[in-house]
Amino acid sequence: MQNKILYNSKEAAKPKTMDGWLSADGHFWPNKDDPKFAEHHARWGGCTHKICECGNEHEKHYTICTACRNKKAKERYGAMPFQEYNGEPVCIFQSDIYFFSEEDIEDYARDNEIDFAALELVVCEPNYMRCFEIDDMYADELPEDQYVSDVAPDIAAKAEELNELILKEKPILSWRPGKHRTEYRG
Ligand SMILES: [Zn+2]
């Protein structure tokens, strides 16, 4: 039989306070087994800024400050192998600014009052038109051991013909940043 406990008795309930961390945004993290965990989450929730390894403050969602980010980006750019500029499309490192002619580069440098050497140019690589992989396109609908050529041989042959034309003409659809840095010297 269960022991009898009266509503107003000390046995029924006793006051208890719980240790933990309250963040500035009103969230309570109880210490439970790991006070460090609770403190970290409360501080993270309540803060807006952190201190960078260099001592500068930065917004909490970045791991380092703007100055350190710029410095690291400069180092990454400098570490890319150099290739002489030969008039091919180039872009500014880590940007969506592309130049398709010397004139484009000169206009941009003049409008932004920036030296050619400071532009941090990257040689671009072409995005070629891809071939049609019709067996992949219809893989979900095709029976496991069949190809488009089994079901629709004329269409498979046309696709093959189209792919041959794509490989022969190699149309360039667009450009993407490549792996080499370059410099326009004017
Ligand atoms: Zn920093």
Side-chain angles (χ1 to χ4, degrees), residues 144-163:
E144 232 173 67
D145 51 353
Q146 292 209 13
Y147 299 97
V148 174
S149 55
D150 299 319
V151 182
D154 290 350
I155 290 169
K158 280 279 177 210
E160 191 56 39
E161 210 178 296
L162 187 57
N163 284 341

Side-chain angles (χ1 to χ4, degrees), residues 51-58 63-69:
I51 304 290
C52 181
E53 56 194 21
C54 74
N56 281 345
E57 287 181 0
H58 63 83
T63 51
I64 52 174
C65 74
T66 310
C68 285
R69 260 205 319 285

Side-chain angles (χ1 to χ4, degrees), residues 26-38:
H27 202 96
F28 182 72
W29 296 86
N31 278 348
K32 284 192 205 151
D33 309 328
D34 195 345
K36 283 266 165 252
F37 177 88

